Amino acid sequence: MTTRAILEWQEDRGVEWHYIAPGKPMQNGFVESLNGRFRDECLNEHLFRSLPAARVLIEAWRADYNHDRPHTSLGGLTPNEFATRSRQDHNTNRVQL
């Protein structure tokens, strides 16, 4: 029943749906990495006493992850630093030889 509801929702809203082959989570490595971090750093660290309390803690984790925390995929920059770099900096190869 849940799958049917999700598929109806995506069809009603025109959301493209892409399937990952069974047993192949590496086909979506970015999401798998995010899910693992979220589970290890947020869900496993807190006992949620209520839905509002869960929302507050999860939002705090999300804000830190998306705005303040350096990401290795961004060359050690926070997402805010990466987004505010100049156009020239975006095109510069950051590899040091």
Side-chain angles (χ1 to χ4, degrees), residues 69-90:
R69 181 185 304 188
H71 292 255
T72 56
S73 64
L74 301 178
L77 299 173
T78 68
N80 280 341
E81 291 169 334
F82 185 80
T84 57
R85 294 185 315 161
S86 70
R87 181 172 294 276
Q88 182 180 4
D89 289 342
H90 281 279

Side-chain angles (χ1 to χ4, degrees), residues 16-79:
E16 290 187 35
W17 198 261
H18 301 281
Y19 290 96
I20 295 173
K24 301 284 185 183
M26 67 289 283
Q27 290 179 347
N28 198 355
F30 293 111
V31 170
E32 294 299 319
S33 176
L34 174 66
N35 286 345
R37 281 195 173 89
F38 179 58
R39 185 175 39 257
D40 291 343
E41 298 172 8
C42 185
L43 299 179
N44 290 346
E45 296 294 319
H46 301 285
L47 289 175
F48 301 109
R49 301 282 181 200
S50 65
L51 186 55
R55 286 182 175 144
V56 168
L57 288 167
I58 290 169
E59 176 58 22
W61 183 88
R62 187 199 64 77
D64 176 63
Y65 186 83
N66 286 329
H67 300 289
D68 303 322
R69 181 185 304 188
H71 292 255
T72 56
S73 64
L74 301 178
L77 299 173
T78 68

